[in-house]
Amino acid sequence: MKENMHSIRPKITETSIYKIIASIESGIHVKNIEYDDVQIIEKENETIFQTKAFEALDSATLEKKKAEVRTKFEAILDTLAFLNNKGAKIGNYWTPNADKILLPNGKEYIQFQPRFGRPEVMIFEEEFRQKVIPLYAIIKNDQSKFRLCLSWFNKALSENEPLNKFLIFWIALESITPNYVERNIDDSTKQYVNYAIQELKK
């Protein structure tokens, strides 16, 4: 009998080994690339993010890890969407105990969310390492308006309804305008901001 992993709340009574797994809802595919403790793999015709196995001694440690990993997943997704002009969202994600996710046939049970059905874009490892990683390295711990702009930009790319898309693009643009908030953007960031503005103008 298959169990829905989304309905299971982790209860830690001793040191347990976990992986955090999330499906990617988009037409973006990145095959079998590992960076910054995140593994991006194709599984059953879907692209998923997952962490390496890690130990958690208590629920507080696990929740902290989940928050860190989600931020990391979102930063990679925003980067992919920005560089490839394709929206990408995180589907449902969960934290299975490595000892409890095996079915009797030996396979892992993972429930995937449907993709948007956009034209597929394959991101090869060379492009990932040359383009995605440099930008991701800048924004992964960045809480500035630039990081917020990329997040809204990704949301707009993921939106299908024209009016909503326009409004979300406008929010993305507003988030980096000088009149909106004081900002101090170094030279290494300006090129990406300028690119975002050009894309929004289109």
Side-chain angles (χ1 to χ4, degrees), residues 128-144:
F128 185 85
R129 298 198 178 279
Q130 289 181 356
K131 296 181 179 180
V132 177
I133 288 177
L135 178 55
Y136 168 70
I138 293 173
I139 70 170
K140 68 174 181 176
N141 297 315
D142 187 4
Q143 300 301 318
S144 71

Side-chain angles (χ1 to χ4, degrees), residues 149-199:
C149 175
L150 283 189
S151 179
W152 282 109
F153 187 84
N154 183 12
K155 286 181 174 66
L157 293 175
S158 303
E159 176 61 51
N160 292 321
E161 203 282 317
L163 178 57
N164 288 343
K165 183 183 285 287
F166 171 78
L167 292 173
I168 298 170
F169 272 137
W170 191 267
I171 292 171
L173 184 60
E174 284 287 336
S175 70
I176 54 173
T177 56
N179 292 335
Y180 184 75
V181 66
E182 276 192 17
R183 60 193 177 97
N184 181 17
I185 300 178
D186 59 36
D187 292 337
S188 64
T189 305
K190 285 181 181 178
Q191 58 179 314
Y192 301 113
V193 173
N194 290 336
Y195 179 84
I197 292 173
Q198 294 306 314
E199 288 299 306

Side-chain angles (χ1 to χ4, degrees), residues 63-102:
E63 291 305 313
K64 181 180 179 181
K65 180 67 174 180
K66 285 171 66 175
E68 291 173 353
V69 168
R70 184 172 181 87
T71 298
K72 197 174 291 188
F73 285 174
E74 289 175 344
I76 294 176
L77 273 183
D78 291 345
T79 304
L80 287 169
F82 177 69
L83 292 175
N84 294 279
N85 201 33
K86 299 289 181 184
K89 293 181 180 178
I90 294 180
N92 289 335
Y93 76 108
W94 57 98
T95 313
N97 186 304
D99 297 325
K100 295 181 180 178
I101 61 173
L102 294 179

